[in-house]
Amino acid sequence: MKTVLTLVAGLLLGALAAFFLVREKDKPVDARSIAAASLEAVRAQNKLTVFAGRFTVAVTTRVEKLGLSAEKTLIVPATVRYDIDYSKVRRDDMVWDEGSRVMTVRLPDIQLDEPQVDMANVREYGGGTILMALGNAEEVIDAANRRKIREAVLKEADTSLLRELARSSARTAVERGFALPLAAAGIDARVIVRFPDESGYAL
């Protein structure tokens, strides 16, 4: 949560700085111009991590050769970040409705970053030292386990509940980032964030 709050604060400061830059250049101070300035601040963030989850998975690989067998089980803690790629947001992804005083912002969907394995806390269990000492059995096992770790962690991370938590965090960051400079300009407005599969996304 501390990381998210820090990023939100950075987004807000960036949006305010953009707003005051607009004023200094004597550009029209209306909802659209302020939103455009805010967008530049948002896009400067590139990929913003809006949520992070920590997971622990267990993977096992077993190989058999020449009548011998070897296996290795790993208990692996890993972190997955949930990102919004702000570089994909364009000006036509923001629509201002003067009548309802609503600014709608369309965001790309949440992206899951590659799992970051906590190597210092990986636990390993195994057997078959004779086979591992012969040939490349251990290399085969380790390569298979690495693939399994990635798949297992992403499976744990990619759930509807966790995606919704990440979306909620992104909504908070973006709505505040766009609403604050509007309020500072004296524009009474409500900011709504939409994701691709939500009603109202097709503006």
Side-chain angles (χ1 to χ4, degrees):
M1 179 60 70
K2 183 177 180 181
T3 300
V4 172
L5 290 176
T6 301
L7 291 168
V8 170
L11 184 58
L12 298 181
L13 290 173
L16 280 173
F19 163 63
F20 287 116
L21 183 60
V22 167
R23 293 196 66 179
E24 288 174 4
K25 291 183 177 180
D26 295 325
K27 294 181 180 179
V29 181
D30 58 19
R32 292 182 181 84
S33 62
I34 293 171
S38 298
L39 175 61
E40 293 307 311
V42 166
R43 293 182 65 184
Q45 299 290 325
N46 198 13
K47 286 188 177 180
L48 178 65
T49 298
V50 295
F51 189 72
R54 187 172 174 85
F55 310 91
T56 300
V57 299
V59 298
T60 301
T61 296
R62 178 184 178 87
V63 297
E64 296 183 359
K65 187 176 183 180
L66 302 175
L68 300 172
S69 65
E71 71 175 31
K72 186 181 291 187
T73 296
L74 300 177
I75 310 297
V76 181
T79 299
V80 175
R81 297 195 303 266
Y82 299 71
D83 299 333
I84 289 290
D85 187 353
Y86 283 131
S87 68
K88 295 181 179 179
V89 181
R90 300 292 182 259
R91 291 199 177 194
D92 59 6
D93 288 321
M94 304 179 303
V95 173
W96 170 246
D97 187 321
E98 183 68 33
S100 62
R101 313 293 287 176
V102 170
M103 176 72 70
T104 302
V105 181
R106 298 189 299 190
L107 292 182
D109 209 352
I110 298 291
Q111 294 181 347
L112 273 64
D113 203 359
E114 285 296 309
Q116 303 296 311
V117 174
D118 181 1
M119 297 301 300
N121 290 300
V122 173
R123 288 176 287 164
E124 178 180 315
Y125 307 91
T129 54
I130 295 177
L131 181 56
M132 287 189 184
L134 301 174
N136 65 341
E138 187 166 17
E139 293 178 8
V140 170
I141 289 174
D142 288 341
N145 274 340
R146 282 194 295 271
R147 290 193 297 271
K148 290 179 180 179
I149 288 168
R150 181 183 184 278
E151 293 170 359
V153 172
L154 289 178
K155 183 178 180 180
E156 291 285 324
D158 194 9
T159 67
S160 58
L161 174 60
L162 291 172
R163 279 187 173 273
E164 187 53 42
L165 289 173
R167 283 185 173 190
S168 178
S169 180
R171 269 187 244 276
T172 299
V174 176
E175 287 175 0
R176 289 180 181 175
F178 279 86
L180 188 57
L182 289 169
I187 298 175
D188 181 20
R190 184 163 63 101
V191 179
I192 298 176
V193 168
R194 298 293 188 202
F195 287 94
D197 61 346
E198 294 180 333
S199 175
Y201 183 82
L203 300 173

